[in-house]
């Protein structure tokens, strides 16, 4: 058996193919023609062993999903989500090969060539900086001035913005409006937002165009990965500090490198936790670079009366 394994490894080296374990790690994924301009995220562990496993952010849903079927065949990573796409449910399959240290991939719902997408994965970087008390506040920036949408654009090019300013309040009016994105990009900062949502509504704030802090009507419910103030589908709040729908609420979000702290209504609900990777709001997968602020507009009505960002420097 040992001789066989050595022969297989030698053949792989001679062919120039990457060994299976090279697929292991976290991958930030660019999808040029994704319908909602989203980026994806992939984690692979145990590649090259019978314990291979994976997690994925992208399709079919908006959360961090465990991959139910994943394997490596002839140097190609293949993973699928059975019965999760379309009506009636169909299987979507992702395939990728390693080329010069990057994933060169495709996606397609089986039997539906019109769903075909190409994608590229790069290894997620290790972000420098810890929130150790050495960071100093810079000059604060009012991202919303209470007058108009200066400094913002629609997440989807060519689509009407849909957001408006009424009586000094920024609102999306209804569900289905494209997300709103700042023209400027930011790195380490504290973001303060005052917001209000109605019963059953759902929104969020995207940090650096990658990580969503959830805004959600969950008043009186147990804290959860999808609850108000959570780092969506990744870090749950330690307690539910939500106010009743229709009441004004406040978020204070601090991010340094991958370290995030969230204060909801003056209660710390996430305290110096590590952001492992992208969430479904992501439009910009390049984690080592500054990115914009995103206001989610497609899940339910939301109003903002104040959005202020304070850069952090050393």
């Amino acid at each position: 058996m040992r001789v066989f394994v050595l022969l297989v490894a030698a053949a792989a080296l001679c062919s120039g193919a990457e060994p299976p374990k090279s697929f292991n790690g976290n991958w930030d994924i660019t999808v040029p023609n994704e319908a909602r301009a989203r980026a994806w995220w992939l984690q692979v562990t145990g590649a090259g062993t019978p314990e291979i496993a994976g997690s994925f952010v992208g399709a079919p849903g908006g959360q961090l999903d465990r991959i139910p079927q994943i394997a490596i065949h002839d140097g190609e990573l293949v993973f699928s989500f059975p019965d999760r796409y379309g009506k009636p449910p169909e299987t979507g399959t992702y395939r990728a090969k390693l080329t010069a240290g990057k994933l060169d991939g495709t996606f397609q719902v089986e039997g539906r060539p019109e769903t075909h997408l190409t994608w590229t994965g790069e290894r997620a970087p290790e972000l420098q900086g810890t929130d150790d008390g050495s960071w100093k506040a810079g000059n604060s920036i009012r991202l919303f001035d209470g007058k108009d949408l200066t400094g913002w654009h629609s997440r989807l090019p060519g689509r009407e913005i849909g957001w408006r300013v009424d009586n000094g309040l920024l609102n999306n009016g209804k569900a289905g409006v494209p997300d709103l994105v700042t023209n400027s990009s930011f790195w380490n900062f504290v973001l303060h937002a005052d917001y209000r949502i109605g019963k059953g509504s759902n929104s969020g704030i995207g940090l650096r165009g990658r990580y969503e802090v959830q805004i959600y009507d969950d008043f009186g419910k147990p804290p959860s990965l999808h609850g108000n103030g959570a780092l969506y589908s990744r870090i749950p709040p330690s307690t539910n500090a939500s106010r009743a729908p229709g009441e004004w609420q406040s978020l204070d979000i601090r991010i340094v490198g991958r370290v995030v702290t969230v204060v909801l209504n003056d209660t710390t609900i996430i305290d110096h936790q590590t952001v492992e990777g992208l969430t479904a709001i992501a439009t910009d997968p390049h984690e080592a670079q500054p990115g914009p602020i995103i206001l989610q507009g497609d899940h339910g009505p939301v109003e903002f009366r104040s959005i202020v960002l304070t850069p952090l420097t050393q």
Side-chain angles (χ1 to χ4, degrees), residues 181-219:
V181 183
T182 58
N183 298 340
S184 299
S185 294
F186 308 96
W187 186 237
N188 296 330
F189 56 82
V190 175
L191 181 76
H192 173 84
D194 292 326
Y195 71 92
R196 180 169 63 183
I197 56 174
K199 187 174 179 58
S201 195
N202 181 342
S203 182
I205 298 176
L207 314 177
R208 300 186 192 138
R210 299 171 193 128
Y211 321 119
E212 179 188 349
V213 174
Q214 172 82 313
I215 290 175
Y216 184 59
D217 170 29
D218 64 352
F219 178 67

Side-chain angles (χ1 to χ4, degrees), residues 34-37 153-161 178-179 181 283:
E34 210 278 340
R36 295 172 58 190
H153 63 271
S154 173
R155 171 179 179 149
L156 300 178
R159 285 278 300 275
E160 182 180 355
I161 287 182
D179 297 347
V181 183
T283 60

Side-chain angles (χ1 to χ4, degrees), residues 37-119:
R38 294 184 300 180
W40 298 343
W41 183 87
L42 170 68
Q43 181 184 73
V44 180
T45 61
T49 77
E51 286 74 39
I52 184 172
S55 297
F56 189 63
V57 172
Q63 62 186 8
L64 176 66
D65 284 306
R66 184 187 64 82
I67 298 173
Q69 296 181 355
I70 183 169
I72 296 173
H73 300 295
D74 298 325
E76 184 178 50
L77 178 70
V78 181
F79 60 97
S80 299
F81 289 90
D83 302 326
R84 293 284 295 275
Y85 298 82
K87 295 181 180 179
E90 299 170 294
T91 297
T93 299
Y94 302 77
R95 300 177 180 273
K97 292 187 175 182
L98 274 166
T99 305
K102 297 182 179 181
L103 294 180
D104 185 12
T106 64
F107 163 78
Q108 186 173 313
V109 175
E110 293 180 6
R112 295 175 54 194
E114 73 277 7
T115 64
H116 180 85
L117 291 172
T118 60
W119 52 270

Side-chain angles (χ1 to χ4, degrees), residues 259-300:
V259 180
V260 65
T261 295
V262 178
V263 178
L264 174 63
N265 299 323
D266 300 320
T267 299
T268 300
I269 59 172
I270 295 177
D271 191 4
H272 291 78
Q273 297 294 304
T274 299
V275 181
E276 186 176 31
L278 308 182
T279 70
I281 204 169
T283 60
D284 181 347
H286 305 295
E287 289 191 273
Q289 301 176 15
I293 301 300
I294 300 175
L295 304 181
Q296 189 177 64
D298 61 349
H299 280 39

